Amino acid sequence: GDSVTQMEGPVTLSEEAFLTINCTYTATGYPSLFWYVQYPGEGLQLLLKATKADDKGSNKGFEATYRKETTSFHLEKGSVQVSDSAVYFCALYEDSNYQLIWGAGTKLIIKP
Amino acid sequence: GAVVSQHPSRVICKSGTSVKIECRSLDFQATTMFWYRQFPKQSLMLMATSNEGSKATYEQGVEKDKFLINHASLTLSTLTVTSAHPEDSSFYICSARWGRGGYTFGSGTRLTVV
């Protein structure tokens, strides 16, 4: 079945460091891919998405490119801030399966 | 560990009827559950946050009388869509908080109202 694999956390970085959170997936069809973020005490928020191969999603300085050849959707940011500390989830949605498949989440800790 | 079982995965109901969606935490106690709604290829929308033993907190614009949430035990939260209409057709998903700030998700329920 479909699955999403994220790098394990927590990931601890210093402010202004470069961030990469890896996400790879397996899917039978052509899924849409999402990155969600959950700040402490809050609900999930969509960070960015891509609906087809080679699409790049971007928001708040974060980027991820839908790579069909490597089945990946890695999240990147050039310079992280303390306020980026949160849990990040990679997710896959296939209309044919009517299911949202989640990665396990990666906790990001940014130190000043 | 930290598994949430959500049922049913897919349901079709007639307009005017009610549908109940269950989320159970199988191996942990979920003091807080989040309920989300998602339209195809769009983002999740938080509907409400429920805490065990207390009333749910609904997001602005979500009808409390239409989307009834019950979190009567530490392992079960339910969402009942009352008097469903075609515009309620959507993908509903629950999420439970566990441990020290971890979150886990149900696999979702596809509701189609005809």
Side-chain angles (χ1 to χ4, degrees):
Chain A
D2 295 356
S3 66
V4 174
T5 303
Q6 267 182 257
M7 65 189 292
E8 287 189 23
V11 173
T12 303
L13 296 172
S14 297
E15 208 166 18
E16 299 184 2
F18 184 86
L19 168 71
T20 299
I21 300 178
N22 290 337
C23 172
T24 56
Y25 68 92
T26 58
T28 53
Y30 302 94
S32 297
L33 300 173
F34 304 85
W35 274 102
Y36 286 87
V37 58
Q38 188 158 21
Y39 298 101
E42 300 182 16
L44 277 176
Q45 300 175 29
L46 176 67
L47 183 57
L48 52 85
K49 66 178 182 180
T51 57
K52 61 183 188 298
D54 299 326
D55 270 1
K56 176 186 280 188
S58 61
N59 185 27
K60 297 182 181 180
F62 291 89
E63 291 184 342
T65 301
Y66 189 160
R67 302 274 188 210
K68 190 166 172 58
E69 64 276 13
T70 55
T71 61
S72 65
F73 193 54
H74 304 323
L75 182 68
E76 296 181 336
K77 187 175 184 181
S79 177
V80 292
Q81 306 300 315
V82 173
S83 56
D84 294 326
S85 298
V87 181
Y88 292 80
F89 293 91
C90 184
L92 169 163
Y93 181 83
E94 274 203 277
D95 287 337
S96 59
N97 290 337
Y98 301 119
Q99 279 199 329
L100 195 62
I101 309 297
W102 294 88
T106 302
K107 186 172 185 177
L108 176 65
I109 302 169
I110 306 299
K111 296 188 174 181
Chain B
V3 175
V4 169
S5 176
Q6 183 171 347
H7 293 283
S9 59
R10 195 183 301 192
V11 59
I12 301 173
C13 71
K14 291 184 178 181
S15 188
T17 61
S18 295
V19 173
K20 180 184 285 188
I21 302 169
E22 290 188 352
C23 272
R24 293 181 183 274
S25 56
L26 299 185
D27 49 4
F28 69 101
Q29 293 182 331
T31 54
T32 302
M33 280 265 194
F34 299 93
W35 284 95
Y36 298 88
R37 180 175 178 176
Q38 181 175 29
F39 297 96
K41 296 189 185 293
Q42 297 184 27
S43 67
L44 287 177
M45 179 191 77
L46 178 64
M47 299 175 66
T49 303
S50 71
N51 294 296
E52 185 267 338
S54 63
K55 291 184 179 180
T57 302
Y58 289 81
E59 296 298 302
Q60 191 173 7
V62 178
E63 298 177 61
K64 301 177 184 181
D65 295 332
K66 181 165 193 60
F67 299 100
L68 300 179
I69 291 173
N70 185 286
H71 194 163
S73 79
L74 286 170
T75 58
L76 175 64
S77 178
T78 61
L79 167 67
T80 302
V81 183
T82 63
S83 187
H85 292 283
E87 57 265 30
D88 298 324
S89 298
S90 191
F91 187 83
Y92 295 87
I93 188 165
C94 63
S95 169
R97 181 175 179 177
W98 66 280
R100 294 183 180 179
Y103 296 91
T104 186
F105 299 87
S107 56
T109 298
R110 178 74 175 185
L111 171 64
T112 303
V113 185
V114 297

